[in-house]
Amino acid sequence: MTRPRTGGVRRVVVSLALALTLTGFTDSVSASEPSSASGGPPAGRSWFTSWAQSQQSLAAGPLTDQSLRMITHLSQGGDALRIRVQNTFGTAPLTVDAVTVGHGGEGAALTGPAVPVTFQGRRAVTVPPGGEVWSDAARLLTRPQQNVAVSMFVPGPVVPGRHVTGLRDNYLTPARSGDHTDDRSGAPYTETVTSTLLVSAVDVRNPALKGTIVPYGSSVVDGVGSTDCGPGCTETGTNQRWTDVLARRVTEELPQGGRLAVANAGISGTTSSDACPRTPGDLAGLAGPARLERDVLALHGVTGVIYYYGTNDLANGCTAASILASYDTVFQRLHRAGIKVYVTPITPRGSYTGPQNLDRDAVNTVVRQGNNCSGGCDGVIDLDEVLKDPLQPDRLRLDYDTGDGIHANIAGQRAIAYAVPLAMLTRARGHGRP
C-alpha cells in the first residue's frame, strides 16, 4: 500500500494583519484595486472568499439579451466585495455588459439599491474561452450569512457555465428582455433555475477575518441530502448544507477578531483520483488534482482545506493505492501554497462490495495514522465515526440516511458540522493567495 509522502517543503506560516475591525472599516473603495483578466487580484490581506460554487459544465441552453440574478449566501461579511465571473467551459468569448450587486430579499427582489460592479473601471467585460475575471471592489456593506444578489446582463447569444447543484432558486428574465440589473423589484425575473450560472465566487473585504476554509470534495460537500428533512419536507434554499452550518457555528462561537470564512468547493460525482476507470464521461477533468488551481488555489485568503474525497473513487473502480496517490499530489500542492489540509476518512456507503470496503479501510488506516495522514496532512476530522452505523460500520446510520445509503440528511449534515473542531481550523495560518 502506498502512503502519502510527507515531502520536504516547509510551510510558511504568515499571520493575517488585523489593522481594522468590521466596525472600523473605511468608507472608501480604492480605485487602484482592479483585477486582471487572468484572475489575479491585487496584493493585500484584506480580501477573503466568502462564498463559492465551482463551475462544472455548460448550461443546457444559451442566454440571449437577458438578465440573470444569482443569489449568493455569504459566510462572512465586509465593507466591500468583488466577484468572479468564469467562462471555464465556454468555446466562445463571453461578454457581460452590466453587473450589479445588492442585498437579497424575497425571491428575486432586492432590499436596497443595486450597486454597480466594474472590471478594470469598466461596466462591461469579455471573458475569453477557458478564462475567468475578478471584478473591482464594489462598495456594499454585508454581514455574515447574508444573501447577496449578483445581477448580470448578457447580450449573447452565449451558453454560460454553471454549477449544477445550486440547491436554491436563482432567476432569469425572458430572452430578449434587456438589462434589468438595476431593478430592485424581482418582477422582471420570471424564470427560476436551480443551477448557479456565471458567477463562481464572492470575496469580501474584511481585515478582521483570520482566513478562508475551503471544504473540497464531491456530493456530500456539494450539499446533496441537505434538503431532506423527512417525508414530504423539502428545504431548498435554506442553506442547510453542513458547510453552511459550519459557517454559522463560526459566527456564533468565535469572537469577531477570530472568525473564518467558509467557501464550498464541492462538485457532485467527482473523484479524488483521475484514474478511476468507471468515472462518467461528463465528469472528465474534474478530479481533485485537475481542478485544484481553479477551485481552491485561485480563491483568496485560504488558510485551510477540509478534504472530503474518496467515496466516488471506490464506487468508480479506484483502489486504495490510486486514491492515496491522488491525496499525496493534492496535499503537497496545498502545502506548497501555504495551506493546511484537514482530511476525513472515507465515509461508509451501503453499496460497497467487500473488496471496496477493504480498500476503504486501507485508505482510512493511513489517514488516521498519527492523526495526520501519516505525516501527509495537518489533522484528521473523523466523519466516518460520525456517520457510520455503530452496529454495521460499513453503512450509514439510519437516522442520518436520506435513503440512498450515501448522503446525509439535515440531521446528518448538522452532525457533520458540529464534529468539525473550530480550534483546529483557527490554528491554520497558511498564507494562500491574497
Side-chain angles (χ1 to χ4, degrees):
M1 177 173 54
T2 304
R3 294 191 174 202
R5 301 182 299 273
T6 59
V9 178
R10 299 296 297 176
R11 292 174 293 278
V12 180
V13 178
V14 179
S15 298
L16 297 176
L18 298 178
L20 298 170
T21 64
L22 185 57
T23 56
F25 283 132
T26 63
D27 290 332
S28 65
V29 175
S30 171
S32 65
E33 294 183 335
S35 65
S36 69
S38 66
R45 293 294 167 192
S46 299
W47 291 98
F48 300 88
T49 302
S50 184
W51 171 91
Q53 284 197 331
S54 304
Q55 288 204 349
Q56 63 191 96
S57 64
L58 291 175
L63 300 172
T64 303
D65 187 26
Q66 61 194 118
S67 298
L68 309 79
R69 184 159 283 175
M70 301 290 109
I71 310 300
T72 68
H73 186 72
L74 300 185
S75 57
Q76 294 293 327
D79 77 327
L81 56 78
R82 59 191 183 190
I83 68 168
R84 178 170 71 169
V85 179
Q86 283 186 283
N87 192 23
T88 301
F89 299 95
T91 57
L94 168 70
T95 296
V96 181
D97 272 1
V99 181
T100 65
V101 290
H103 297 141
E106 187 70 22
L110 306 181
T111 61
V115 176
V117 175
T118 60
F119 300 83
Q120 294 187 327
R122 300 177 178 89
R123 289 296 304 274
V125 65
T126 297
V127 188
E132 64 178 47
V133 175
W134 287 87
S135 76
D136 304 332
R139 188 191 306 173
L140 184 71
L141 186 67
T142 55
R143 62 181 186 274
Q145 286 78 60
Q146 186 165 31
N147 285 341
V148 168
V150 180
S151 304
M152 296 167 280
F153 170 59
V154 179
V158 67
V159 181
R162 66 176 173 176
H163 179 86
V164 175
T165 314
L167 293 179
R168 72 169 315 113
D169 288 339
N170 290 307
Y171 306 95
L172 303 176
T173 63
R176 301 176 182 84
S177 60
D179 182 357
H180 292 277
T181 56
D182 288 329
D183 289 33
R184 290 180 61 168
S185 167
Y189 293 87
T190 56
E191 182 180 347
T192 300
V193 295
T194 55
S195 297
T196 302
L197 307 177
L198 293 183
V199 60
S200 62
V202 177
D203 286 357
V204 296
R205 188 173 66 180
N206 183 346
L209 294 176
K210 291 291 187 181
T212 292
I213 299 296
V214 181
Y216 192 51
S218 54
S219 55
V220 180
V221 175
D222 207 0
V224 174
S226 67
T227 61
D228 187 329
C229 52
C233 174
T234 58
E235 295 198 11
T236 301
T238 53
N239 307 302
Q240 297 296 328
R241 299 173 180 86
W242 67 266
T243 57
D244 299 318
V245 180
L246 177 63
R248 290 193 286 274
R249 279 191 63 208
V250 166
T251 300
E252 293 164 0
E253 298 178 27
L254 296 180
Q256 183 171 307
R259 293 176 183 168
L260 299 155
V262 179
N264 189 312
I267 296 180
S268 293
T270 56
T271 58
S272 179
S273 173
D274 60 4
C276 302
R278 294 194 295 274
T279 297
D282 61 345
L283 297 175
L286 293 175
R291 67 186 187 94
L292 187 69
E293 174 66 35
R294 179 175 69 239
D295 293 342
V296 178
L297 297 175
L299 304 181
H300 302 113
V302 178
T303 50
V305 166
I306 299 175
Y307 200 78
Y308 193 159
Y309 254 132
T311 57
N312 290 328
D313 295 69
L314 294 174
N316 289 321
C318 264
T319 64
S322 58
I323 295 169
L324 289 168
S326 69
Y327 284 12
D328 184 30
T329 298
V330 170
F331 300 172
Q332 289 198 50
R333 286 176 64 189
L334 290 170
H335 284 157
R336 286 195 295 270
I339 296 169
K340 292 188 180 281
V341 185
Y342 307 104
V343 184
T344 178
I346 300 175
T347 50
R349 180 178 290 200
S351 59
Y352 286 152
T353 65
Q356 286 171 334
N357 274 318
L358 288 176
D359 277 317
R360 184 169 81 92
D361 291 341
V363 172
N364 291 354
T365 297
V366 174
V367 168
R368 290 187 174 109
Q369 183 68 38
N371 202 37
N372 65 0
C373 312
S374 306
C377 68
D378 301 283
V380 174
I381 302 171
D382 201 333
L383 301 182
D384 178 46
E385 287 293 327
V386 173
L387 295 179
K388 72 182 183 182
D389 187 320
L391 300 179
Q392 301 182 83
D394 290 332
R395 296 181 179 273
L396 288 181
R397 285 177 48 154
L398 286 177
D399 54 339
Y400 291 166
D401 192 348
T402 60
D404 64 7
I406 302 171
H407 299 105
N409 59 20
I410 288 178
Q413 301 278 335
R414 289 181 57 81
I416 292 171
Y418 278 91
V420 177
L422 297 186
M424 177 188 288
L425 303 184
T426 57
R427 288 197 296 270
R429 293 293 186 271
H431 48 79
R433 180 170 296 184

